[in-house]
């Protein structure tokens, strides 16, 4: 999955390891501090729904900003150029805004503890159990990606054996989540967000200075890769060839709508952060606040990939030499002095731990509440489920270590993650969006739509694409197509099944379909929530406009 070239060993010294040790101490300290607030299972799984919007907002973006994204998007920047910005400005921001403005009132207003639990109320036990199992499987698979990627990176950069890196990071994630629950994970993610920026910003600034600033960077890449390499849309006409292997239609529909909305609106590793907010207003603002730093992440992730391509022109040219995945490690090796190097290594480690912790904390919530407590051990006292959650956390970490090696058959980090999203998140989004906006949708339609969408995506990828039955230029292009197939098949099946089955009574859908609210769930705004700068609509549309403006320099 990640192959880092020889010769990337960093010249670390005692100062760098001291910074790393201080970080680990602070991480555990946050875990022990959070433990004092964990009295019930709601405290453990959802922080007692007590956190302010700025904390949950930063945790929301940090949970997504794992090192797999940092290394993967830097690699994509070096390989695909400015096409990579689509993953942010069309592949994230609109969906994050939709989550905040449209879907969070349903999630938070119905007081569910997880995304699958919402399906229990809307469609019934069959859809609920299927979605819970699918989400539990995808969570440990993605947690394993972070662990395996981190082990190989630390082996290349610091000389740590893979098993040492896996055990050390896994043990620390296990410790602070088991001790302090979701609050510990979230406050650590806020810390990790700033540590990651402290690592990437100096890398970007020093790198730009080394290649002659932005003008020097663009001149070098235009001469070596052509003037389309730094544009986001050139060459994306239907029938035209480009490095991404996708045209504007598959980018807009496959990435911008289906995959993006499927991931951001139904992925509980993200939604869980918003559900832990102190009230509905804070829950709505969580993804909207996160959207603003997300807009500018390409400046410290994609741009370093471009810088690395100028500094190391052989990047990705030979199987035996430096690969695109080496972009960030190459810059760390060549540009950063000791001390700053320690911060950069700590930032990478923080990113891996943030990505893993997000998936482990969502796994323990879904498995405990949606599978164990609902179908296996009903009606136990709250202390029992609190203890179960801690045990399941340990199980999730151990399974994540095992599933890490499944990813070894994939040549690119983002290819693997996008494949998982097309399999698991897109069919879930189909069920949600149709069930929320069409009251007639039946319980049977939810189950069969989810199952058929998942199977259709897998058939398209493993049979039609992998067996060469249909020609798709790249794995990313195949993932976009798989997402569209999953959405279309799932939607058609839901419509057909709904037409021949009995819908749920309208009275049981209050708060579960658009235009209705759960009885007794109305909230008066908290003090300060009615301020103009906290209006969800203003934040949401402001983020969309800002993302659109960011496209302008990369469109000509």
């Amino acid at each position: 999955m990640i192959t880092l070239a020889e010769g990337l060993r960093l010249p670390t010294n005692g100062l760098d390891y001291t910074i790393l040790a201080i970080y680990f101490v602070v991480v555990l300290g946050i875990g022990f501090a959070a433990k004092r607030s964990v009295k019930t299972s709601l405290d453990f799984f959802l922080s007692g729904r007590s956190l302010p919007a700025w904390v949950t907002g930063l945790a929301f973006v940090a949970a997504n900003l794992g090192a797999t994204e940092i290394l993967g998007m830097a690699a994509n920047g070096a390989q695909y150029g400015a096409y990579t910005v689509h993953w942010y400005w069309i592949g994230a921001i609109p969906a994050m805004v939709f989550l905040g403005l449209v879907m969070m009132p349903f999630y938070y207003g119905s007081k569910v503890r997880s995304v699958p639990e919402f399906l229990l109320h809307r469609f019934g036990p069959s859809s609920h159990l299927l979605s819970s199992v699918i989400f539990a499987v995808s969570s440990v698979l993605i947690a394993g990606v972070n662990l395996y990627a981190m082990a190989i990176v630390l082996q290349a950069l610091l000389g740590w054996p893979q098993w040492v890196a896996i055990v050390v990071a896994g043990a620390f994630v296990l410790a602070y989540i088991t001790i302090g629950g979701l609050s510990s994970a979230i406050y650590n993610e806020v810390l990790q967000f700033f540590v990651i920026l402290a690592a990437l910003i100096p890398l970007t600034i020093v790198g730009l200075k080394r290649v002659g600033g932005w003008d020097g960077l663009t001149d070098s890449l235009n001469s070596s890769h052509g003037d389309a390499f730094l544009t986001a849309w050139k060459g994306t006409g239907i029938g035209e060839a480009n490095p991404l292997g996708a045209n504007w239609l598959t980018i807009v529909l496959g990435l911008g709508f289906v995959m993006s909305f499927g991931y951001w609106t139904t992925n509980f590793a993200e939604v869980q952060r918003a559900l832990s907010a102190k009230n509905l207003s804070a829950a709505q603002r969580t993804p909207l606040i996160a959207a603003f730093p997300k807009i500018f992440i390409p400046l410290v992730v994609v741009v370093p990939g471009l810088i690395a391509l100028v500094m190391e022109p052989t990047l990705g040219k030979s199987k035996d030499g430096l690969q695109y995945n080496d972009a960030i490690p190459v810059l760390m090796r060549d540009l950063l002095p000791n001390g700053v190097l320690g911060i950069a290594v700590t930032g990478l480690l923080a990113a891996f731990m943030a990505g893993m912790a997000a998936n482990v904390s969502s796994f323990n919530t879904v498995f405990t509440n949606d599978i164990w407590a609902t179908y296996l051990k009903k009606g136990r006292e709250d202390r029992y489920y609190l203890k179960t959650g801690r045990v399941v956390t340990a199980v999730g970490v151990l399974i994540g270590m095992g599933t890490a090696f499944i990813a070894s058959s994939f040549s690119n980090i983002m290819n693997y993650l996008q494949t998982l999203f097309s399999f698991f998140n897109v069919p879930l989004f189909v069920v949600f969006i149709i069930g929320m906006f069409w009251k007639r949708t039946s319980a049977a339609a939810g189950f069969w739509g989810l199952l058929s969408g998942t199977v259709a995506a897998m058939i398209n990828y493993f049979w039609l694409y992998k067996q060469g039955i249909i020609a798709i230029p790249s794995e990313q292009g195949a993932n976009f197509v798989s997402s569209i197939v999953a959405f279309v098949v799932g939607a058609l099946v839901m419509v057909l099944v709904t037409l021949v089955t009995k819908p749920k009574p309208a009275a049981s859908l209050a708060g579960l379909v658009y235009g209705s609210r759960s009885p007794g769930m109305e909230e008066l705004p908290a003090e300060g929530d009615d301020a103009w700068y906290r209006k969800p609509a203003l934040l949401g549309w402001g983020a969309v406009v800002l993302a659109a403006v960011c496209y302008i320099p990369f469109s000509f």
Side-chain angles (χ1 to χ4, degrees), residues 304-431:
L306 300 174
I307 294 169
L309 195 60
V310 173
M311 293 183 57
E312 294 284 351
T314 61
L315 208 65
K317 302 298 183 184
S318 169
K319 289 185 178 180
D320 299 325
L322 293 169
Q323 301 301 306
Y324 292 119
N325 284 322
D326 297 326
I328 292 290
V330 161
L331 295 185
M332 290 170 59
R333 179 197 66 187
D334 294 345
L335 298 177
L336 299 181
N338 291 110
V340 179
L341 189 60
I343 295 174
V345 172
T346 303
L348 264 186
L349 191 58
F352 279 117
M353 292 171 67
M356 183 186 177
N359 284 282
V360 169
S361 61
S362 57
F363 168 78
N364 67 26
T365 302
V366 168
F367 186 89
T368 303
N369 291 328
D370 294 287
I371 298 177
W372 193 260
T374 303
Y375 299 102
L376 299 175
K377 298 290 184 180
K378 300 180 181 179
R380 298 294 184 93
E381 59 183 11
D382 189 72
R383 286 186 302 172
Y384 172 81
Y385 297 119
L386 177 58
K387 182 179 179 180
T388 301
R390 289 193 162 112
V391 173
V392 170
T393 301
V395 173
V397 171
L398 293 175
I399 295 176
M401 292 179 182
T403 61
F405 297 96
I406 296 176
S408 61
S409 60
F410 288 77
S411 60
N412 182 287
I413 306 169
M414 295 310 298
N415 287 347
Y416 178 58
L417 291 177
Q418 297 290 327
T419 300
L420 294 179
F421 298 152
S422 68
F423 290 171
F424 301 130
N425 292 98
V426 172
L428 194 59
F429 173 64
V430 177
V431 174

Side-chain angles (χ1 to χ4, degrees), residues 440 442 444-446 448-449 492-502:
R440 174 73 174 78
S442 65
W448 289 110
L492 287 175
V493 168
M494 288 189 72
V495 171
L496 293 175
V497 174
T498 293
L499 294 178
V500 297
T501 53
K502 185 178 180 180

Side-chain angles (χ1 to χ4, degrees), residues 121-321:
H121 298 312
R122 177 61 181 89
F123 293 106
S126 297
S127 298
H128 174 242
L129 181 58
L130 178 60
S131 65
S132 299
V133 171
I134 286 175
F135 186 80
V137 171
S138 65
S139 294
V140 293
L141 285 173
I142 296 172
V145 175
N146 282 276
L147 265 182
Y148 188 74
M150 181 208 62
I152 294 180
V153 169
L154 292 183
Q155 182 184 42
L157 300 186
L158 302 179
W160 292 11
Q162 288 186 26
W163 70 269
V164 172
I166 287 176
V167 170
V168 169
F172 273 89
V173 170
L174 174 61
Y176 71 72
I177 295 180
T178 303
I179 294 169
L182 183 63
S183 293
S184 177
I186 285 178
Y187 281 114
N188 267 303
E189 284 161 2
V190 173
L191 168 67
Q192 287 156 349
F193 175 75
F194 291 108
V195 172
I196 292 167
L197 291 185
L200 293 178
I201 290 174
L203 199 65
T204 306
I205 293 174
V206 175
L208 277 175
K209 185 175 181 180
R210 178 69 65 89
V211 298
W214 183 253
D215 290 338
L217 178 66
T218 54
D219 290 344
S220 297
L221 292 176
N222 285 339
S223 62
S224 62
H225 290 74
D227 58 1
F229 194 70
L230 291 179
T231 64
W233 295 105
K234 192 170 184 178
T236 61
I238 296 176
E240 294 186 68
N242 61 70
L244 191 58
N247 56 52
W248 68 267
L249 185 62
T250 54
I251 291 172
V252 172
L253 289 182
L255 174 63
F257 175 61
V258 179
M259 289 190 75
S260 170
F261 278 65
Y263 174 80
W264 290 103
T265 64
T266 66
N267 183 21
F268 187 50
E270 302 293 337
V271 175
Q272 187 180 28
R273 275 76 196 139
L275 287 178
S276 67
K278 63 183 180 180
N279 57 26
L280 176 58
S281 174
Q284 283 193 275
R285 285 184 278 122
T286 293
L288 305 179
I289 291 172
F292 288 92
K294 185 70 176 177
I295 290 172
F296 297 105
I297 292 298
L299 296 178
V300 292
V301 174
V302 180
V303 171
L306 300 174
I307 294 169
L309 195 60
V310 173
M311 293 183 57
E312 294 284 351
T314 61
L315 208 65
K317 302 298 183 184
S318 169
K319 289 185 178 180
D320 299 325

Side-chain angles (χ1 to χ4, degrees), residues 429-466:
F429 173 64
V430 177
V431 174
F432 264 88
I433 203 68
I434 294 179
M436 286 174 57
F437 288 95
W438 190 22
K439 294 181 181 180
R440 174 73 174 78
T441 311
S442 65
F447 175 81
W448 289 110
L450 179 58
L451 183 61
S452 63
T454 302
V455 172
M458 291 181 174
I459 289 174
N460 179 78
Y461 184 82
F462 290 115
W463 183 45
L464 297 180
Y465 168 64
K466 283 293 188 180

